[in-house]
Amino acid sequence: MASKKNILLLFDRPREPVFIAKGSKKAVFSVPNEYLADKYKPLGVALTNRFGEDADERIDVKKISIPPFGEILELSRDENFSLFIPKHRRIAGRLIDIFLGMRNVDDLVSVAVYARDRVNPYLFNYALSVAILHRPDTQDVDLPSFIESFPDKYVDAKVFAQAREQATVVPEGSRPPIEIPKDYTASDLEEEHRLAYFREDLGINLHHWHWHLVYPFEAAREVVAKNRRGELFYYMHQQIIARYNFERLCNKLKRVTRFNDFKQAIQEAYFPKLDSLVASRSWPARVGNQRLKDLNREVDQIKQDVDDLKRWSDRIYAAIHQGSATDERGRKIELTENEGIDILGNMIESSILSPNRTFYGDMHNMGHVFISYVHDPDHRHLESFGVMGDSATAMRDPIFYRWHSYIDDIFQEYKATLPRYTENQLNFPGVTVSKVEIQVQGGSANTLNTFWQQSDVDMSRGMDFQPRGSVFVRFTHLQHQPFTYKITVKNSSNGNRKGTCRIFIAPKLDERGNPWLYRDQKNMFVELDKFTVNLKQGQNNITRASSQSSVTIPFERTFRNLDLNRPQGGEELAQFNFCGCGWPQHMLIPKGTPEGMPCQLFVMISNYEDDKVNQSTEGVCNDAGSYCGIKDKLYPDRRSMGYPFDRIPRNGVDTLQQFLTSNMRVQDVTIKFTNRTVRPKSRN
């Protein structure tokens, strides 16, 4: 296991050369001279002596035959890296395959040491992370949280000068956290800034980055082709849009306007206030009212017309209405009732699983690219992409939600072509949900309470060329009081039954203050939980804690500190790594309003016989299965993702009340926000 743990040292201080001591134990890699980057080769022996003197541990690196890196090295070490840019995606796939192809862990360490000072640091971190997650012999290696390696993608640029000063002057253990102001990217003059607490939340952005780590676009097919991957792309992003729209209503804003006219000016501006420590550049801002332009960036091997987005979009819509797509050989692929959404997701995203990327294009990814280069489409100013170009930062920008609202609209167009759920497909005969209540300790029933909380994150692993030791930043995020669902279910059938409890929440009123039409409200429902229940004959009282949610992961796992309370190895650790993917628990509940936001909590018990997937998930970390799936397993629910809200309603259903069957119940609840801040307990 020692050699496996050595891999993790390669994530430490990403721009410092590989031969400088790494980790808290001052481990030094004994690097063969030919593995050193060219600029260090003449100094080989001197470097080994100099940096090996104070080492507590020496790690011998075995010499192996290094595969050719070719175009992987064309992305220089001081550039930004984007999963959305086709060339970057391609070289990332090649590097992942090199790492996956190593025969054993020792060989993986050798090739990673060779690559570490040659390959772009962001690209290296991404490819090695994907490989560690997917290699059978490294799945029990604990991946560091991305924020630890690259805090610059998440934290106000001002912090780093303060951190360097503090690390140099103040002894470790006495360093107070550096506080990031809650409002540092804009003022209240900017309407969109009301949502900054959501868009710029560290946990939400880490979730988005980790999701794309678990579901890479390109690499060996077995890594990309996970169960229902295209459908999960649709559902995870649909839920993000539903949550964002919910938050907008909490802040007296209308639902997001989809970005569907590619020639129209983008009204919103975004100034990220981030610096890239790798590229030594500020992330470009986007001023108001810019328009997409044709891209001609030789440096990125991108030559693409804005009109291509419209062409691809038209072809995808045509496939939806024909009920079939066409593959590269001209064969028809039926968009069937259950599998069609998965095919469509792979087309739109588009990964290597797209049935015909030449014809249906690279819709989702190139949308990100066009927007991220809006400030310098032909590279005349030598500028890199904006935050929309990086899955770690894209959710910070208001335009992300407008773009994904358009993407979701395409999926909804497809969903509208599917047969509507009949009462029989919704009902669970003999099972009645008779009462639903939310209980909060010391609070009123059916009232959820939200507030601000401050938390600390150590960013010292990402701070190159400076004194060692922890440096903490303190940030403010939304939080809710823990609560419990109390659900009363009557089973009037003979014998015991098994069901799936599905819990969603939606705003009760639209932006005008009017009750919703069901057709609109169904897209506003946010999944809160999904779990299996055993129903004995007669009355059943189900109790479930909010912390058990099937969409979230706990705070400690979002901001994982490798040195504290980590599983020691084996399957437990493999699961832990995968499950770095998950919506942050602190953002489970929308903000609400000071006066109390009226909402509707929906609870349904569906028939487990129609939901079940025959597999064992024992010992498997599946607490965020709804948004992330389960590692090496089938998606844990046979129903369409988002069921029962994923299709237009049967005839005669105009309101939520008309939609209900006896196995469903709606409870009015209120989300009340209090503008107070809970500070963390002292670490010392």
Side-chain angles (χ1 to χ4, degrees), residues 16-36:
E16 286 185 359
V18 72
F19 49 77
I20 294 181
K22 305 269 179 269
S24 54
K25 293 182 180 169
K26 292 189 187 166
V28 168
F29 287 94
S30 295
V31 184
N33 208 56
E34 53 269 50
Y35 282 21
L36 292 172

Side-chain angles (χ1 to χ4, degrees), residues 93 96-102 130-131 133-136 139 213-229 351-353 578 631-633:
I96 291 166
D97 289 343
I98 286 174
F99 289 151
L100 288 174
M102 291 296 114
V130 173
L133 271 175
H134 293 89
R135 281 181 67 101
Q139 289 185 1
L213 192 71
V214 173
Y215 294 95
F217 303 114
E218 299 203 18
R221 194 173 179 87
E222 61 270 20
V223 170
V224 180
K226 294 190 175 77
N227 179 241
R228 293 171 72 178
R229 180 231 163 85
S351 71
I352 58 167
L353 305 178
F578 178 91
K631 181 174 165 47
D632 300 330
K633 302 280 183 182

Side-chain angles (χ1 to χ4, degrees), residues 193-208:
H193 184 64
R194 292 182 211 172
L195 274 295
Y197 69 90
F198 180 93
R199 294 194 324 268
E200 294 169 2
D201 182 80
L202 273 61
I204 284 179
N205 282 280
L206 279 166
H207 161 72
H208 191 242

Side-chain angles (χ1 to χ4, degrees), residues 33 97 123 176 283 336 373 455 544-545 619:
N33 208 56
D97 289 343
L123 168 60
W283 282 83
T336 56
Y373 281 134
S455 297
R544 176 88 165 175

